[in-house]
Amino acid sequence: MSLTMLSFLLAVFTGGPALFLSVLSHYRRLTVRLEQHGLRAQGQVVRVNEGRGKPSTVYYAFRPPEGPELSGKFDEATSVASKRLPGSPVDILYLAEAPEQHMAVGMGFTRGLYLLVAVPLVGVAITGVLSVLHAYFTQPK
């Protein structure tokens, strides 16, 4: 294995997971901000697209007092989502300084989900780096 190949593989096994982890961290921080500092608003279900063998998508709209109507969506188990009818209420959290940052109450990127994705991702990165370094330093000269 050449030094160029070593550099490339190390960049892949560190850069790829680091980039993905930064995106995950952004969504986790946003969820925490909304849960801690978000204002509540009452929204309405616009429609529900029931999934076959996968979660249903619930579309909602709400109007913060300081701006125009905004819309969003979240995925929910079909058994629960099928009970939501157009026009039924849904609680929304939004940031006063950025109302376009919003989510339905309880639907954010939870700590458990974050750890469920982040821990194996870090494990794959470490395993990949160690495997590449081992292959490089144990190759016959």
Side-chain angles (χ1 to χ4, degrees):
M1 175 185 313
S2 68
L3 188 57
T4 304
M5 180 59 79
L6 172 67
S7 300
F8 172 75
L9 289 173
L10 289 176
V12 167
F13 280 112
T14 56
L19 180 63
F20 192 59
L21 196 56
S22 71
V23 170
L24 292 176
S25 296
H26 167 75
Y27 285 113
R28 177 64 190 142
R29 282 191 307 274
L30 178 58
T31 297
V32 170
R33 263 184 83 202
L34 283 163
E35 289 172 346
Q36 291 177 351
H37 306 290
L39 302 175
R40 280 187 177 261
Q42 187 76 53
Q44 288 188 339
V45 173
V46 175
R47 74 177 190 277
V48 177
N49 286 355
E50 291 191 25
R52 301 190 197 290
K54 61 179 184 170
S56 295
T57 303
V58 177
Y59 295 86
Y60 64 87
F62 76 103
R63 182 179 306 277
E66 58 276 341
E69 183 174 89
L70 299 169
S71 60
K73 65 181 181 175
F74 59 90
D75 291 335
E76 190 170 52
T78 300
S79 60
V80 177
S82 64
K83 296 175 185 157
R84 295 188 186 266
L85 300 173
S88 63
V90 60
D91 291 325
I92 307 298
L93 291 172
Y94 70 96
L95 297 175
E97 67 277 8
E100 65 279 359
Q101 301 293 333
H102 56 84
M103 70 176 191
V105 173
M107 295 296 159
F109 195 53
T110 65
R111 180 185 320 187
L113 183 57
Y114 176 76
L115 291 174
L116 186 68
V117 176
V119 169
L121 183 63
V122 170
V124 166
I126 290 170
T127 303
V129 167
L130 291 176
S131 297
V132 168
L133 289 174
H134 181 264
Y136 180 77
F137 287 112
T138 59
Q139 69 183 348
K141 303 271 178 186

